[in-house]
Amino acid sequence: MTEPASKPNGNGAINGTAAAPAVNGNQGPVKSQLYNPNRQVYRPQSHYHRRHRSGRSICCCCCFWTILIILAAALLAAIVGAALYVLYRPHQPQFSITNLRIARMNLTTSTDSPSHLTTLFNLTLIAKNPNNHLVFFYDPFTVTALSDSVFIGNGSLTAFESDKNNQTSLRAVVSGSQDLDTESLSTMRSALKKKKGFPVVIQMDTKVKMRMEWLKSKKVGIRVTCDGIRGTVPAGKSPAVASVIDSQCKVDLRIKIWKFSF
């Protein structure tokens, strides 16, 4: 008697044998993959960042060596300057006014015209170099005369050389002719009435270059201010001699930084 053919059951088994499941059409066992949430994802490093870091490192290195060289040069200059000062003991030049003759000091006033001031001075100046190893080279001087801050005349001095431990006698003619405003007129009238004489201030501006042995400096500006001078108005044609006993001259450096001077 013939047995009936076996039919697949609902689980896909034929004759009690289970059929292998198909995954994506490929037969074979499926391997499980483990997932680690703490695992870092690999990202390749960009060559641009490496070049950027290398360039920045070179720049920092150059800046460091530049600053180091500047500091070393400044330190060396300070050491050389201190050594020269200890060896040579440099001193600034000295100036003094030995004579000031007033040949003309005329103040005229009128209701129809502005007040006018006419002056004429003969100035004798001594420039002294107290240094044994330093020579001064002066450019021409610009001379300005003031009385209570009112301009009363100007002049000039020729260029000269002041040798080691030496003094030079200089002469200048200072003159002026100008109209005065109301304030300047009032100031000059008060000055001319003073019993001890009207005050006179002499300002001299120039540039000087220095030489010490084999070292030479650049030109620097100086201003010489001499005050304590008392003048009198001359009587007749004879010049009046101003009092210079209490006069003192001060030397200031005129170093320009941008547009400022000190």
Side-chain angles (χ1 to χ4, degrees), residues 22-49:
V23 180
N24 294 333
N26 296 326
Q27 300 293 330
V30 179
K31 296 181 179 180
S32 62
Q33 296 181 356
L34 298 178
Y35 173 72
N36 186 3
N38 297 325
R39 181 180 179 183
Q40 296 182 354
V41 180
Y42 171 75
R43 292 184 178 89
Q45 187 176 3
S46 174
H47 294 284
Y48 169 77
H49 292 291

PDB file of all heavy atoms in Angstrom, residues 22-49:
ATOM      1  N   ALA A  22      17.406  31.732   5.483  1.00  0.00           N
ATOM      2  CA  ALA A  22      18.195  32.481   4.494  1.00  0.00           C
ATOM      3  C   ALA A  22      18.224  33.940   4.882  1.00  0.00           C
ATOM      4  O   ALA A  22      17.197  34.540   5.170  1.00  0.00           O
ATOM      5  CB  ALA A  22      17.580  32.310   3.095  1.00  0.00           C
ATOM      6  N   VAL A  23      19.428  34.533   4.924  1.00  0.00           N
ATOM      7  CA  VAL A  23      19.632  35.962   5.259  1.00  0.00           C
ATOM      8  C   VAL A  23      20.168  36.656   4.039  1.00  0.00           C
ATOM      9  O   VAL A  23      21.262  36.330   3.562  1.00  0.00           O
ATOM     10  CB  VAL A  23      20.588  36.123   6.448  1.00  0.00           C
ATOM     11  CG1 VAL A  23      20.780  37.593   6.753  1.00  0.00           C
ATOM     12  CG2 VAL A  23      20.072  35.364   7.644  1.00  0.00           C
ATOM     13  N   ASN A  24      19.376  37.626   3.501  1.00  0.00           N
ATOM     14  CA  ASN A  24      19.773  38.389   2.316  1.00  0.00           C
ATOM     15  C   ASN A  24      20.140  37.477   1.163  1.00  0.00           C
ATOM     16  O   ASN A  24      21.048  37.762   0.375  1.00  0.00           O
ATOM     17  CB  ASN A  24      20.954  39.325   2.627  1.00  0.00           C
ATOM     18  CG  ASN A  24      20.531  40.408   3.608  1.00  0.00           C
ATOM     19  OD1 ASN A  24      19.348  40.768   3.659  1.00  0.00           O
ATOM     20  ND2 ASN A  24      21.496  40.896   4.386  1.00  0.00           N
ATOM     21  N   GLY A  25      19.532  36.331   1.150  1.00  0.00           N
ATOM     22  CA  GLY A  25      19.780  35.416   0.042  1.00  0.00           C
ATOM     23  C   GLY A  25      21.042  34.630   0.170  1.00  0.00           C
ATOM     24  O   GLY A  25      21.384  33.869  -0.717  1.00  0.00           O
ATOM     25  N   ASN A  26      21.872  34.861   1.264  1.00  0.00           N
ATOM     26  CA  ASN A  26      23.134  34.132   1.463  1.00  0.00           C
ATOM     27  C   ASN A  26      22.932  33.111   2.549  1.00  0.00           C
ATOM     28  O   ASN A  26      22.394  33.401   3.601  1.00  0.00           O
ATOM     29  CB  ASN A  26      24.269  35.081   1.848  1.00  0.00           C
ATOM     30  CG  ASN A  26      24.582  36.060   0.721  1.00  0.00           C
ATOM     31  OD1 ASN A  26      24.473  35.690  -0.448  1.00  0.00           O
ATOM     32  ND2 ASN A  26      24.966  37.276   1.096  1.00  0.00           N
ATOM     33  N   GLN A  27      23.395  31.971   2.242  1.00  0.00           N
ATOM     34  CA  GLN A  27      23.276  30.899   3.219  1.00  0.00           C
ATOM     35  C   GLN A  27      24.477  30.912   4.135  1.00  0.00           C
ATOM     36  O   GLN A  27      25.583  31.276   3.741  1.00  0.00           O
ATOM     37  CB  GLN A  27      23.178  29.534   2.503  1.00  0.00           C
ATOM     38  CG  GLN A  27      21.994  29.408   1.572  1.00  0.00           C
ATOM     39  CD  GLN A  27      20.685  29.409   2.334  1.00  0.00           C
ATOM     40  OE1 GLN A  27      20.660  28.962   3.485  1.00  0.00           O
ATOM     41  NE2 GLN A  27      19.635  29.911   1.698  1.00  0.00           N
ATOM     42  N   GLY A  28      24.331  30.539   5.355  1.00  0.00           N
ATOM     43  CA  GLY A  28      25.457  30.416   6.269  1.00  0.00           C
ATOM     44  C   GLY A  28      25.126  31.033   7.609  1.00  0.00           C
ATOM     45  O   GLY A  28      24.139  31.762   7.760  1.00  0.00           O
ATOM     46  N   PRO A  29      25.939  30.757   8.573  1.00  0.00           N
ATOM     47  CA  PRO A  29      25.684  31.266   9.925  1.00  0.00           C
ATOM     48  C   PRO A  29      25.923  32.765  10.025  1.00  0.00           C
ATOM     49  O   PRO A  29      26.755  33.316   9.303  1.00  0.00           O
ATOM     50  CB  PRO A  29      26.662  30.474  10.789  1.00  0.00           C
ATOM     51  CG  PRO A  29      27.773  30.128   9.863  1.00  0.00           C
ATOM     52  CD  PRO A  29      27.133  29.917   8.523  1.00  0.00           C
ATOM     53  N   VAL A  30      25.230  33.453  10.864  1.00  0.00           N
ATOM     54  CA  VAL A  30      25.358  34.909  11.079  1.00  0.00           C
ATOM     55  C   VAL A  30      26.126  35.138  12.354  1.00  0.00           C
ATOM     56  O   VAL A  30      25.787  34.592  13.401  1.00  0.00           O
ATOM     57  CB  VAL A  30      23.976  35.563  11.188  1.00  0.00           C
ATOM     58  CG1 VAL A  30      24.127  37.051  11.443  1.00  0.00           C
ATOM     59  CG2 VAL A  30      23.202  35.311   9.913  1.00  0.00           C
ATOM     60  N   LYS A  31      27.217  35.985  12.242  1.00  0.00           N
ATOM     61  CA  LYS A  31      28.061  36.294  13.407  1.00  0.00           C
ATOM     62  C   LYS A  31      27.522  37.548  14.081  1.00  0.00           C
ATOM     63  O   LYS A  31      27.216  38.540  13.436  1.00  0.00           O
ATOM     64  CB  LYS A  31      29.509  36.519  12.982  1.00  0.00           C
ATOM     65  CG  LYS A  31      30.155  35.277  12.393  1.00  0.00           C
ATOM     66  CD  LYS A  31      31.604  35.558  12.024  1.00  0.00           C
ATOM     67  CE  LYS A  31      32.279  34.318  11.449  1.00  0.00           C
ATOM     68  NZ  LYS A  31      33.674  34.584  11.085  1.00  0.00           N
ATOM     69  N   SER A  32      27.448  37.510  15.357  1.00  0.00           N
ATOM     70  CA  SER A  32      26.970  38.675  16.117  1.00  0.00           C
ATOM     71  C   SER A  32      28.096  39.686  16.288  1.00  0.00           C
ATOM     72  O   SER A  32      29.251  39.321  16.468  1.00  0.00           O
ATOM     73  CB  SER A  32      26.453  38.211  17.488  1.00  0.00           C
ATOM     74  OG  SER A  32      27.501  37.615  18.225  1.00  0.00           O
ATOM     75  N   GLN A  33      27.794  41.026  16.211  1.00  0.00           N
ATOM     76  CA  GLN A  33      28.768  42.104  16.380  1.00  0.00           C
ATOM     77  C   GLN A  33      28.545  42.781  17.730  1.00  0.00           C
ATOM     78  O   GLN A  33      27.419  43.074  18.107  1.00  0.00           O
ATOM     79  CB  GLN A  33      28.609  43.145  15.267  1.00  0.00           C
ATOM     80  CG  GLN A  33      28.916  42.577  13.885  1.00  0.00           C
ATOM     81  CD  GLN A  33      28.781  43.634  12.822  1.00  0.00           C
ATOM     82  OE1 GLN A  33      28.389  44.745  13.130  1.00  0.00           O
ATOM     83  NE2 GLN A  33      29.103  43.275  11.586  1.00  0.00           N
ATOM     84  N   LEU A  34      29.689  43.018  18.417  1.00  0.00           N
ATOM     85  CA  LEU A  34      29.620  43.646  19.730  1.00  0.00           C
ATOM     86  C   LEU A  34      29.717  45.165  19.578  1.00  0.00           C
ATOM     87  O   LEU A  34      30.554  45.681  18.824  1.00  0.00           O
ATOM     88  CB  LEU A  34      30.755  43.140  20.631  1.00  0.00           C
ATOM     89  CG  LEU A  34      30.733  41.639  20.925  1.00  0.00           C
ATOM     90  CD1 LEU A  34      31.933  41.250  21.776  1.00  0.00           C
ATOM     91  CD2 LEU A  34      29.437  41.262  21.630  1.00  0.00           C
ATOM     92  N   TYR A  35      28.957  45.985  20.269  1.00  0.00           N
ATOM     93  CA  TYR A  35      28.945  47.450  20.190  1.00  0.00           C
ATOM     94  C   TYR A  35      29.458  48.020  21.505  1.00  0.00           C
ATOM     95  O   TYR A  35      28.977  47.672  22.583  1.00  0.00           O
ATOM     96  CB  TYR A  35      27.517  47.950  19.946  1.00  0.00           C
ATOM     97  CG  TYR A  35      27.407  49.448  20.019  1.00  0.00           C
ATOM     98  CD1 TYR A  35      27.949  50.238  18.997  1.00  0.00           C
ATOM     99  CD2 TYR A  35      26.768  50.064  21.094  1.00  0.00           C
ATOM    100  CE1 TYR A  35      27.847  51.606  19.071  1.00  0.00           C
ATOM    101  CE2 TYR A  35      26.673  51.432  21.157  1.00  0.00           C
ATOM    102  CZ  TYR A  35      27.213  52.207  20.139  1.00  0.00           C
ATOM    103  OH  TYR A  35      27.117  53.564  20.216  1.00  0.00           O
ATOM    104  N   ASN A  36      30.518  48.820  21.417  1.00  0.00           N
ATOM    105  CA  ASN A  36      31.116  49.455  22.590  1.00  0.00           C
ATOM    106  C   ASN A  36      30.819  50.952  22.545  1.00  0.00           C
ATOM    107  O   ASN A  36      31.367  51.670  21.702  1.00  0.00           O
ATOM    108  CB  ASN A  36      32.626  49.223  22.618  1.00  0.00           C
ATOM    109  CG  ASN A  36      33.262  49.755  23.901  1.00  0.00           C
ATOM    110  OD1 ASN A  36      32.565  50.239  24.792  1.00  0.00           O
ATOM    111  ND2 ASN A  36      34.593  49.653  23.987  1.00  0.00           N
ATOM    112  N   PRO A  37      29.966  51.436  23.377  1.00  0.00           N
ATOM    113  CA  PRO A  37      29.617  52.870  23.317  1.00  0.00           C
ATOM    114  C   PRO A  37      30.760  53.790  23.697  1.00  0.00           C
ATOM    115  O   PRO A  37      30.753  54.963  23.367  1.00  0.00           O
ATOM    116  CB  PRO A  37      28.457  52.974  24.315  1.00  0.00           C
ATOM    117  CG  PRO A  37      28.663  51.854  25.256  1.00  0.00           C
ATOM    118  CD  PRO A  37      29.245  50.728  24.448  1.00  0.00           C
ATOM    119  N   ASN A  38      31.820  53.289  24.399  1.00  0.00           N
ATOM    120  CA  ASN A  38      32.950  54.133  24.817  1.00  0.00           C
ATOM    121  C   ASN A  38      34.081  54.166  23.806  1.00  0.00           C
ATOM    122  O   ASN A  38      35.093  54.814  24.012  1.00  0.00           O
ATOM    123  CB  ASN A  38      33.501  53.656  26.166  1.00  0.00           C
ATOM    124  CG  ASN A  38      32.462  53.795  27.256  1.00  0.00           C
ATOM    125  OD1 ASN A  38      31.675  54.729  27.248  1.00  0.00           O
ATOM    126  ND2 ASN A  38      32.470  52.848  28.197  1.00  0.00           N
ATOM    127  N   ARG A  39      33.924  53.471  22.754  1.00  0.00           N
ATOM    128  CA  ARG A  39      34.990  53.395  21.750  1.00  0.00           C
ATOM    129  C   ARG A  39      35.022  54.691  20.934  1.00  0.00           C
ATOM    130  O   ARG A  39      33.991  55.165  20.460  1.00  0.00           O
ATOM    131  CB  ARG A  39      34.755  52.191  20.841  1.00  0.00           C
ATOM    132  CG  ARG A  39      35.834  52.019  19.781  1.00  0.00           C
ATOM    133  CD  ARG A  39      35.529  50.806  18.929  1.00  0.00           C
ATOM    134  NE  ARG A  39      36.519  50.613  17.898  1.00  0.00           N
ATOM    135  CZ  ARG A  39      36.466  49.664  16.975  1.00  0.00           C
ATOM    136  NH1 ARG A  39      35.435  48.802  16.980  1.00  0.00           N
ATOM    137  NH2 ARG A  39      37.407  49.570  16.059  1.00  0.00           N
ATOM    138  N   GLN A  40      36.217  55.284  20.769  1.00  0.00           N
ATOM    139  CA  GLN A  40      36.373  56.536  20.030  1.00  0.00           C
ATOM    140  C   GLN A  40      36.484  56.263  18.544  1.00  0.00           C
ATOM    141  O   GLN A  40      37.148  55.322  18.118  1.00  0.00           O
ATOM    142  CB  GLN A  40      37.625  57.300  20.496  1.00  0.00           C
ATOM    143  CG  GLN A  40      37.546  57.760  21.947  1.00  0.00           C
ATOM    144  CD  GLN A  40      38.784  58.545  22.332  1.00  0.00           C
ATOM    145  OE1 GLN A  40      39.707  58.636  21.554  1.00  0.00           O
ATOM    146  NE2 GLN A  40      38.771  59.091  23.546  1.00  0.00           N
ATOM    147  N   VAL A  41      35.818  57.127  17.807  1.00  0.00           N
ATOM    148  CA  VAL A  41      35.833  56.979  16.352  1.00  0.00           C
ATOM    149  C   VAL A  41      37.131  57.565  15.814  1.00  0.00           C
ATOM    150  O   VAL A  41      37.539  58.669  16.176  1.00  0.00           O
ATOM    151  CB  VAL A  41      34.627  57.696  15.729  1.00  0.00           C
ATOM    152  CG1 VAL A  41      34.645  57.544  14.211  1.00  0.00           C
ATOM    153  CG2 VAL A  41      33.343  57.131  16.316  1.00  0.00           C
ATOM    154  N   TYR A  42      37.827  56.882  15.006  1.00  0.00           N
ATOM    155  CA  TYR A  42      39.096  57.336  14.422  1.00  0.00           C
ATOM    156  C   TYR A  42      38.840  58.398  13.370  1.00  0.00           C
ATOM    157  O   TYR A  42      38.005  58.241  12.490  1.00  0.00           O
ATOM    158  CB  TYR A  42      39.839  56.148  13.793  1.00  0.00           C
ATOM    159  CG  TYR A  42      41.057  56.579  12.984  1.00  0.00           C
ATOM    160  CD1 TYR A  42      42.218  56.975  13.634  1.00  0.00           C
ATOM    161  CD2 TYR A  42      41.004  56.591  11.597  1.00  0.00           C
ATOM    162  CE1 TYR A  42      43.329  57.365  12.904  1.00  0.00           C
ATOM    163  CE2 TYR A  42      42.107  56.990  10.862  1.00  0.00           C
ATOM    164  CZ  TYR A  42      43.268  57.378  11.512  1.00  0.00           C
ATOM    165  OH  TYR A  42      44.351  57.770  10.788  1.00  0.00           O
ATOM    166  N   ARG A  43      39.517  59.531  13.543  1.00  0.00           N
ATOM    167  CA  ARG A  43      39.435  60.608  12.564  1.00  0.00           C
ATOM    168  C   ARG A  43      40.844  60.946  12.107  1.00  0.00           C
ATOM    169  O   ARG A  43      41.689  61.304  12.906  1.00  0.00           O
ATOM    170  CB  ARG A  43      38.788  61.850  13.178  1.00  0.00           C
ATOM    171  CG  ARG A  43      37.309  61.672  13.515  1.00  0.00           C
ATOM    172  CD  ARG A  43      36.726  62.969  14.020  1.00  0.00           C
ATOM    173  NE  ARG A  43      35.305  62.836  14.298  1.00  0.00           N
ATOM    174  CZ  ARG A  43      34.803  62.452  15.451  1.00  0.00           C
ATOM    175  NH1 ARG A  43      35.629  62.122  16.442  1.00  0.00           N
ATOM    176  NH2 ARG A  43      33.494  62.359  15.611  1.00  0.00           N
ATOM    177  N   PRO A  44      41.128  60.873  10.875  1.00  0.00           N
ATOM    178  CA  PRO A  44      42.493  61.174  10.390  1.00  0.00           C
ATOM    179  C   PRO A  44      42.845  62.632  10.620  1.00  0.00           C
ATOM    180  O   PRO A  44      42.012  63.519  10.439  1.00  0.00           O
ATOM    181  CB  PRO A  44      42.415  60.837   8.894  1.00  0.00           C
ATOM    182  CG  PRO A  44      40.959  60.942   8.563  1.00  0.00           C
ATOM    183  CD  PRO A  44      40.219  60.495   9.785  1.00  0.00           C
ATOM    184  N   GLN A  45      44.088  62.919  11.063  1.00  0.00           N
ATOM    185  CA  GLN A  45      44.554  64.273  11.366  1.00  0.00           C
ATOM    186  C   GLN A  45      44.845  65.021  10.076  1.00  0.00           C
ATOM    187  O   GLN A  45      45.454  64.491   9.162  1.00  0.00           O
ATOM    188  CB  GLN A  45      45.808  64.224  12.244  1.00  0.00           C
ATOM    189  CG  GLN A  45      46.241  65.592  12.741  1.00  0.00           C
ATOM    190  CD  GLN A  45      47.409  65.483  13.686  1.00  0.00           C
ATOM    191  OE1 GLN A  45      47.908  64.386  13.901  1.00  0.00           O
ATOM    192  NE2 GLN A  45      47.842  66.589  14.220  1.00  0.00           N
ATOM    193  N   SER A  46      44.416  66.277  10.058  1.00  0.00           N
ATOM    194  CA  SER A  46      44.605  67.083   8.858  1.00  0.00           C
ATOM    195  C   SER A  46      46.040  67.575   8.759  1.00  0.00           C
ATOM    196  O   SER A  46      46.659  67.958   9.752  1.00  0.00           O
ATOM    197  CB  SER A  46      43.639  68.279   8.886  1.00  0.00           C
ATOM    198  OG  SER A  46      43.913  69.131   7.818  1.00  0.00           O
ATOM    199  N   HIS A  47      46.590  67.568   7.552  1.00  0.00           N
ATOM    200  CA  HIS A  47      47.947  68.087   7.340  1.00  0.00           C
ATOM    201  C   HIS A  47      48.000  69.588   7.530  1.00  0.00           C
ATOM    202  O   HIS A  47      49.042  70.145   7.868  1.00  0.00           O
ATOM    203  CB  HIS A  47      48.420  67.722   5.925  1.00  0.00           C
ATOM    204  CG  HIS A  47      48.589  66.242   5.721  1.00  0.00           C
ATOM    205  ND1 HIS A  47      49.659  65.552   6.231  1.00  0.00           N
ATOM    206  CD2 HIS A  47      47.801  65.333   5.073  1.00  0.00           C
ATOM    207  CE1 HIS A  47      49.563  64.265   5.892  1.00  0.00           C
ATOM    208  NE2 HIS A  47      48.432  64.113   5.185  1.00  0.00           N
ATOM    209  N   TYR A  48      46.889  70.284   7.355  1.00  0.00           N
ATOM    210  CA  TYR A  48      46.865  71.739   7.508  1.00  0.00           C
ATOM    211  C   TYR A  48      47.161  72.135   8.946  1.00  0.00           C
ATOM    212  O   TYR A  48      47.920  73.061   9.211  1.00  0.00           O
ATOM    213  CB  TYR A  48      45.497  72.286   7.094  1.00  0.00           C
ATOM    214  CG  TYR A  48      45.309  73.737   7.460  1.00  0.00           C
ATOM    215  CD1 TYR A  48      45.904  74.754   6.711  1.00  0.00           C
ATOM    216  CD2 TYR A  48      44.532  74.080   8.580  1.00  0.00           C
ATOM    217  CE1 TYR A  48      45.722  76.072   7.060  1.00  0.00           C
ATOM    218  CE2 TYR A  48      44.346  75.401   8.926  1.00  0.00           C
ATOM    219  CZ  TYR A  48      44.949  76.394   8.167  1.00  0.00           C
ATOM    220  OH  TYR A  48      44.778  77.697   8.497  1.00  0.00           O
ATOM    221  N   HIS A  49      46.566  71.402   9.915  1.00  0.00           N
ATOM    222  CA  HIS A  49      46.802  71.729  11.323  1.00  0.00           C
ATOM    223  C   HIS A  49      48.252  71.484  11.704  1.00  0.00           C
ATOM    224  O   HIS A  49      48.831  72.226  12.485  1.00  0.00           O
ATOM    225  CB  HIS A  49      45.864  70.912  12.210  1.00  0.00           C
ATOM    226  CG  HIS A  49      44.425  71.315  12.065  1.00  0.00           C
ATOM    227  ND1 HIS A  49      43.946  72.526  12.512  1.00  0.00           N
ATOM    228  CD2 HIS A  49      43.366  70.679  11.472  1.00  0.00           C
ATOM    229  CE1 HIS A  49      42.657  72.617  12.251  1.00  0.00           C
ATOM    230  NE2 HIS A  49      42.273  71.507  11.616  1.00  0.00           N
TER     231      HIS A  49
END
